[in-house]
């Protein structure tokens, strides 16, 4: 881990010990309690690298994957995300209710408030807001991509937004799903592509993209469902939520 990153934010880190699941070596690491980019400008890069959640074993170089409560605050991007590992437990609804009861203490002015259950999702929120995207629409893209991959025989755990690609010409990109509302489907090859990392159940990670038309369709779904407005409370929007929204389209 970059020592510079560790020493610039000492008040928000806690020393811990980690046991490597590969070689069982026990080694020291740092747990990050809060990343506030106002106090720590390097925070976005640190979160993007996920080093505090994926420490490397010095003996065998295997990365561990840690899960613990943490918070990301980025006033410039307008996002406050709280990582709650037990969010998918039966008590998750009660937990969210308790958090929203204390919004007078937890809320930050002019910020979107989100609750996430993995460090991947917390870093994803940073990337989504960095590109000025609607995070609910990005979540709605995932069942479309994952459903396509599952039809090809892939066993998928989840997927997370990584970046936007702007093609220089109208050339079909590899590992990209294209959706078109026009008869001439070739025009979609010039569209912006939303790039994801798709995590398979065997641990592999594969890149996959989807075009801007799909994103606009998801934005229309939010409009039809009256989900475009943000009420400034903490909400948890993930793959399961997105699947439920897509399923509701067939039951309406």
């Amino acid at each position: 881990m970059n020592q510079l990153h560790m020493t610039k934010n000492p008040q928000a880190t806690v020393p811990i010990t980690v046991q490597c699941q590969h070689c069982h070596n026990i080694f020291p690491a740092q747990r990050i309690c809060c990343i506030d980019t106002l106090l720590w400008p390097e925070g976005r890069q640190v979160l993007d690298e996920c080093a505090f959640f994926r420490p490397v074993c010095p003996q065998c170089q295997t990365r561990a994957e840690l899960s613990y409560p943490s918070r990301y605050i980025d006033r410039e991007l307008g996002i406050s995300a709280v990582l709650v590992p037990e969010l998918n437990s039966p008590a998750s609804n009660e937990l969210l209710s308790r958090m929203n009861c204390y919004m007078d203490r937890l809320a930050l002015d002019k910020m979107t408030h989100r609750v996430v259950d993995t460090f991947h999702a917390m870093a994803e929120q940073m990337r989504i807001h960095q590109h000025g995207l609607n995070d609910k629409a990005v979540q709605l893209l995932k069942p479309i991509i994952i459903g396509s991959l599952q039809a090809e025989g892939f066993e998928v755990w989840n997927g997370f937004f990584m970046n936007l690609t702007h093609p220089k010409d109208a050339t079909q990109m590899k590992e990209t799903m294209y959706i078109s509302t026009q008869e001439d489907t070739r025009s979609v090859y010039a569209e912006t592509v939303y790039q994801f990392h798709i995590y398979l159940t065997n641990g592999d990670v594969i890149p996959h993209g989807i075009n801007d038309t799909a994103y606009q369709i998801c934005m229309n779904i939010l409009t039809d469902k009256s989900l475009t407005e943000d009420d400034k409370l903490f909400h948890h929007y993930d793959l399961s939520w997105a699947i439920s929204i897509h399923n509701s389209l067939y039951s309406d």
Side-chain angles (χ1 to χ4, degrees):
M1 188 184 300
N2 190 316
Q3 188 65 29
L4 178 63
H5 289 165
M6 293 176 62
T7 57
K8 278 200 172 183
N9 198 30
Q11 74 281 2
T13 58
V14 176
I16 58 173
T17 57
V18 178
Q19 183 170 27
C20 178
Q21 294 188 353
H22 180 70
C23 71
H24 306 295
N25 175 47
I26 297 176
F27 61 95
Q30 294 273 348
R31 188 176 77 177
I32 186 87
C33 303
C34 181
I35 298 175
D36 188 336
T37 59
L38 181 65
L39 305 174
W40 196 19
E42 298 91 342
R44 288 181 197 167
Q45 179 184 346
V46 173
L47 178 59
D48 197 39
E49 295 169 351
C50 295
F52 283 97
F53 299 95
R54 303 185 69 225
V56 177
C57 173
Q59 183 165 289
C60 70
Q61 307 306 309
T62 298
R63 283 193 177 274
E65 294 220 354
L66 308 181
S67 183
Y68 52 80
S70 187
R71 191 177 187 186
Y72 173 67
I73 302 171
D74 195 321
R75 292 166 180 82
E76 183 181 349
L77 297 182
I79 177 64
S80 171
V82 179
L83 171 55
V84 182
E86 66 271 20
L87 195 57
N88 288 320
S89 69
S92 60
N93 288 335
E94 180 183 349
L95 176 64
L96 269 174
S97 296
R98 289 204 308 270
M99 291 179 66
N100 285 322
C101 283
Y102 293 100
M103 282 302 287
D104 57 332
R105 303 179 192 176
L106 298 174
L108 296 169
D109 189 38
K110 298 180 181 179
M111 301 277 277
T112 297
H113 297 87
R114 294 291 182 258
V115 181
V116 298
D117 58 356
T118 68
F119 63 85
H120 295 293
M122 191 157 72
E124 177 185 56
Q125 281 292 332
M126 179 270 293
R127 299 186 200 103
I128 288 172
H129 285 81
Q130 205 168 24
H131 288 283
L133 303 175
N134 184 298
D135 66 319
K136 287 174 278 189
V138 171
Q139 296 299 328
L140 289 175
L141 288 172
K142 295 179 183 180
I144 303 173
I145 298 172
I146 291 174
S148 174
L149 291 173
Q150 287 175 331
E152 297 178 25
F154 290 96
E155 295 185 7
V156 179
W157 165 61
N158 212 327
F160 299 97
F161 172 77
M162 299 302 294
N163 208 343
L164 294 178
T165 298
H166 305 285
K168 295 181 180 179
D169 52 38
T171 303
Q172 185 176 5
M173 297 176 60
K174 295 180 179 178
E175 288 85 37
T176 301
M177 182 179 184
Y178 291 94
I179 293 179
S180 177
T181 58
Q182 308 295 326
E183 289 186 9
D184 183 5
T185 59
R186 293 174 298 177
S187 61
V188 298
Y189 298 150
E191 292 182 5
T192 296
V193 173
Y194 297 68
Q195 300 287 358
F196 288 78
H197 276 177
I198 304 300
Y199 287 73
L200 307 184
T201 56
N202 65 2
D204 290 345
V205 181
I206 59 175
H208 206 79
I210 191 165
N211 65 315
D212 186 61
T213 292
Y215 178 80
Q216 299 306 324
I217 289 172
C218 291
M219 287 294 293
N220 290 335
I221 292 173
L222 293 177
T223 300
D224 293 341
K225 293 285 185 178
S226 300
L227 293 171
T228 53
E229 297 298 321
D230 191 271
D231 58 12
K232 305 305 179 183
L233 297 176
F234 280 103
H235 288 284
H236 179 215
Y237 299 115
D238 64 352
L239 176 60
S240 296
W241 171 85
I243 291 173
S244 69
I245 294 296
H246 279 285
N247 288 340
S248 71
L249 299 176
Y250 299 100
S251 60
D252 288 349

